Amino acid sequence: MSRPTVSVPYRRPRMLSPLREHLRDTFWFAPVASMVLISLLWWGCASLDTTIVRTLQEAGEYDVVADLAGVADDAKTIVTTISSAMMTFIGVVFSISLVAVQMASGQFSPRIVRIFIRSRITKATFSVFLSTFLLSLLVLTSYESETDPRLMTTVPLVQSILTLVMVGLSLLLFVAYVNSTLRLMRVGHVVDRITWEAFRVIEKTPAYAAEALELGEPTGELLHRGRAGVLRDVNVVLLVAAARRHGVVLKLLPRIGDFVVPGTPILAVYGGTVPRRVAGAVSVGIERTFHQDLGFGLRQLSDIALRALSPAVNDPTTAVQCLDRIVQFLSALAARPLGAVEFREGRQGSGAVRLVQDGPEWTDLVDLGFAEIRGCSADSPQVSRRMLAGIDDLLARVPPERAEPLLRHRTLLVQLVERTVPEAADRAFALEPDRQGIG
């Protein structure tokens, strides 16, 4: 069966990819890793300071040692100020930021909080701030009360320079962080970020449909034995390796994004048996993630549009911005095979099929993108006009067999407007396709 090429390249799964994605969804890993790193860096600088003092003492350069000690004492005032002010600065900055994030989540969708958590600049800023504070404390411990240059064991000069460098880096990151946080409150940036994440999922999804394999009856099933939650992702590399090792084919029964409870069948086994521990390659969490969830981006865009169209907000322009991105995303999938995908063994994926994973069909994605927004668009000609234009654009791109759900939504939208808008002129205006909604 031929596998058509597409404009978006497919990136093969990697062993540590799920772990990396799960760590990105946490806020503790980067700060802890940075503090460990800065502790090692301080230890190296402290050793260098000790070596410099010992070398100068062996050479009889006691005056130079005394001069270095004077410079270090002058720097001590700065280091002390940094250590006392940095934690207060961190608390004030992030308190204000959390208020901004809370406002953004209330205005757009609670699910955009994960954008703040996954933001690299946010984690880098928090990590550098904490590392600077920790470094200043460690440097203060290196100062000694001895004033005789013949008896000194160390002068924390390199450590003090490193602290000043970290302060400068903190200031630069603070400016970048404030800019990033302010952008988070702008709907255009939020919608663009969601779309970018959604396109990354397309890159990780095989660009071909699974063959119609005759798997027969399953020879076994693996049940979910952990806590209830959302199926976040699966470690494809581990499952393919386990299936190859035991000579079987595995099929993921629920879709990514499904809610599963203990006892739910997760993997069907064909052609043999596998140990129960193989089910550990399936990750269940408290919320959906972008890692392998092709429909999560559409879900978030639809949520933002629905909130914008609610009577309490009444912001159809935001809904139109979401529709722009929904059309963009569906357009990228217009000619791409969807549904179940297969993963084969071997580096080039040319070996036997070892894992079959179900995924959303074209109709599922179209319904997710348009159904709920369409139901709230009767009172907003801006939204109905943009949706009609988007559907028409998609109809011009999709193959004939994929036109049905688009035509269905177009017909339902026309019927909704005709049923709810009393004036003929208003109906005609609301049903005129317009890519800007209302110019």
Side-chain angles (χ1 to χ4, degrees):
M1 180 178 179
S2 62
R3 298 176 180 178
T5 59
V6 293
S7 57
V8 179
Y10 166 56
R11 297 189 301 181
R12 289 186 58 79
R14 299 178 180 178
M15 174 70 74
L16 298 179
S17 182
L19 176 61
R20 184 188 64 182
E21 290 297 321
H22 296 168
L23 289 178
R24 284 195 64 193
D25 283 330
T26 66
F27 208 75
W28 61 267
F29 179 75
V32 170
S34 66
M35 288 190 289
V36 172
L37 179 62
I38 202 65
S39 298
L40 295 175
L41 191 57
W42 165 80
W43 179 80
C45 291
S47 300
L48 180 60
D49 283 330
T50 302
T51 301
I52 292 174
V53 171
R54 184 184 305 115
T55 302
L56 291 174
Q57 288 174 339
E58 292 175 354
E61 301 289 346
Y62 299 112
D63 291 339
V64 177
V65 175
D67 292 339
L68 293 179
V71 173
D73 286 337
D74 293 337
K76 183 177 182 180
T77 303
I78 301 176
V79 175
T80 304
T81 304
I82 293 171
S83 64
S84 61
M86 186 57 71
M87 281 305 294
T88 302
F89 183 63
I90 293 174
V92 171
V93 169
F94 278 86
S95 295
I96 297 173
S97 302
L98 291 177
V99 172
V101 172
Q102 185 177 11
M103 292 175 59
S105 66
Q107 182 179 356
F108 304 133
S109 169
R111 275 153 292 283
I112 71 163
V113 175
R114 67 185 307 278
I115 297 178
F116 176 81
I117 295 175
R118 289 172 63 88
S119 170
R120 289 187 174 93
I121 188 64
T122 301
K123 293 180 179 179
T125 304
F126 193 50
S127 300
V128 171
F129 282 5
L130 288 178
S131 298
T132 303
F133 172 70
L134 176 61
L135 178 62
S136 64
L137 296 181
L138 294 174
V139 172
L140 289 175
T141 63
S142 298
Y143 282 92
E144 54 185 29
S145 58
E146 183 60 58
T147 58
D148 188 348
R150 294 177 176 79
L151 301 178
M152 287 182 178
T153 59
T154 185
V155 174
L157 181 63
V158 178
Q159 302 170 58
S160 300
I161 294 174
L162 177 62
T163 305
L164 296 178
V165 171
M166 290 294 293
V167 171
L169 180 60
S170 299
L171 295 176
L172 292 176
L173 283 176
F174 172 67
V175 175
Y177 173 73
V178 171
N179 178 66
S180 175
T181 303
L182 291 177
R183 292 174 65 192
L184 182 63
M185 302 179 67
R186 295 162 50 190
V187 64
H189 171 73
V190 172
V191 169
D192 180 72
R193 178 71 184 186
I194 292 172
T195 307
W196 180 79
E197 292 267 16
F199 271 86
R200 289 187 68 231
V201 182
I202 298 180
E203 295 177 7
K204 301 173 185 176
T205 304
Y208 52 86
E211 300 177 5
L213 297 176
E214 294 295 336
L215 296 176
E217 292 295 324
T219 55
E221 285 184 344
L222 297 181
L223 307 181
H224 174 56
R225 300 187 180 277
R227 63 177 182 176
V230 176
L231 180 59
R232 298 189 298 181
D233 52 41
V234 297
N235 194 320
V236 174
V237 177
L238 287 180
L239 289 178
V240 170
R244 178 182 56 81
R245 190 163 55 249
H246 294 88
V248 300
V249 178
L250 299 175
K251 181 178 181 181
L252 185 67
L253 297 177
R255 285 185 183 178
I256 301 297
D258 286 357
F259 190 86
V260 297
V261 298
T264 302
I266 285 196
L267 290 168
V269 185
Y270 297 87
T273 59
V274 294
R276 185 187 303 173
R277 65 176 180 273
V278 172
V282 178
S283 175
V284 174
I286 59 175
E287 61 180 355
R288 296 168 68 175
T289 69
F290 266 114
H291 185 208
Q292 296 173 358
D293 196 337
L294 193 60
F296 190 42
L298 290 177
R299 177 69 273 163
Q300 292 189 73
L301 292 173
S302 180
D303 286 347
I304 295 174
L306 290 174
R307 182 161 297 197
L309 292 174
S310 65
V313 179
N314 193 21
D315 181 15
T317 302
T318 293
V320 167
Q321 289 181 281
C322 294
L323 281 172
D324 292 340
R325 300 301 186 166
I326 290 173
V327 172
Q328 177 190 359
F329 183 75
L330 292 176
S331 179
L333 298 174
R336 187 186 181 97
L338 296 169
V341 295
E342 62 186 25
F343 296 93
R344 297 169 176 265
E345 63 182 37
R347 285 187 173 272
Q348 303 300 323
S350 57
V353 175
R354 292 303 180 187
L355 174 65
V356 178
Q357 180 177 337
D358 194 16
E361 300 282 354
W362 171 254
T363 301
D364 301 327
L365 296 175
V366 171
D367 290 342
L368 178 56
F370 289 134
E372 294 175 302
I373 302 177
R374 172 178 52 77
C376 299
S377 63
D379 297 329
S380 177
Q382 183 179 359
V383 177
S384 63
R385 288 160 64 94
R386 179 63 186 99
M387 184 176 292
L388 288 172
I391 291 176
D392 290 344
D393 289 342
L394 289 171
L395 285 170
R397 292 180 57 90
V398 300
E401 62 272 13
R402 289 190 172 180
E404 187 278 329
L406 295 170
L407 292 173
R408 171 166 51 85
H409 282 288
R410 198 184 198 287
T411 301
L412 291 173
L413 178 58
V414 172
Q415 292 175 352
L416 177 65
V417 172
E418 290 178 343
R419 187 170 59 250
T420 56
V421 179
E423 297 295 333
D426 290 338
R427 289 197 299 269
F429 180 78
L431 294 177
E432 181 179 348
D434 184 349
R435 289 191 179 91
Q436 294 187 21
I438 300 176

